[in-house]
Amino acid sequence: MGVPGGPAVPPARVGLSPAAEALVARLTAQHGPLMFHQSGGCCDGSSPMCYPRGEFRVGAADVLLGRVAGDIPFWMSASQYTYWRHTHLTVDVVPGRGSGFSLEAPEGVRFLIRSRLLTEGELALIDAGPPPPTGENLSEAG
């Protein structure tokens, strides 16, 4: 990873499946800039929620896990981050309607998280860098 001889670049912590990438492109065309938030909780509360950027107020302790599809911020609640900090998350899309206000609901699909454990090497690169930004450091437009 990174430029030969240059500093190693930490791996992305979140990404999109091809199906989610296509849906995000459609939602962006309909709604403008987007954001994701993963809050935790039970049932659909543990699904990633997609909102028009700025329509969801990010808390000071929320963690900016990364950006997907170019510049779409993916936020996670601090409590969820504690549990998921050792994983890479892939946002996927599956048939069915979730409950909530996520933008994909009218499409008859819902976003879903698929995860894998980060390797020891990936974790070492992440841990060698600065901690991820939080809502205290950045605006929700991030």
Side-chain angles (χ1 to χ4, degrees), residues 17-112:
S17 71
E21 199 165 326
L23 179 57
V24 164
R26 286 198 318 270
L27 293 173
T28 298
Q30 290 176 329
H31 302 281
L34 304 176
M35 66 181 289
F36 277 96
H37 190 271
Q38 175 81 38
S39 65
C42 70
C43 309
D44 281 332
S46 59
S47 295
M49 300 300 228
C50 182
Y51 302 103
R53 194 168 309 171
E55 295 256 335
F56 180 88
R57 180 164 275 195
V58 174
D62 286 340
V63 175
L64 180 61
L65 201 60
R67 293 180 183 277
V68 296
D71 79 341
I72 298 173
F74 189 100
W75 292 93
M76 179 176 275
S77 69
S79 61
Q80 280 298 98
Y81 179 73
T82 300
Y83 294 113
W84 292 70
R85 70 174 300 277
H86 298 94
T87 61
H88 176 275
L89 305 180
T90 300
V91 179
D92 201 359
V93 70
V94 294
R97 292 206 50 191
S99 62
F101 301 103
S102 194
L103 291 175
E104 82 282 4
E107 305 281 326
V109 295
R110 66 187 182 93
F111 287 116
L112 174 83

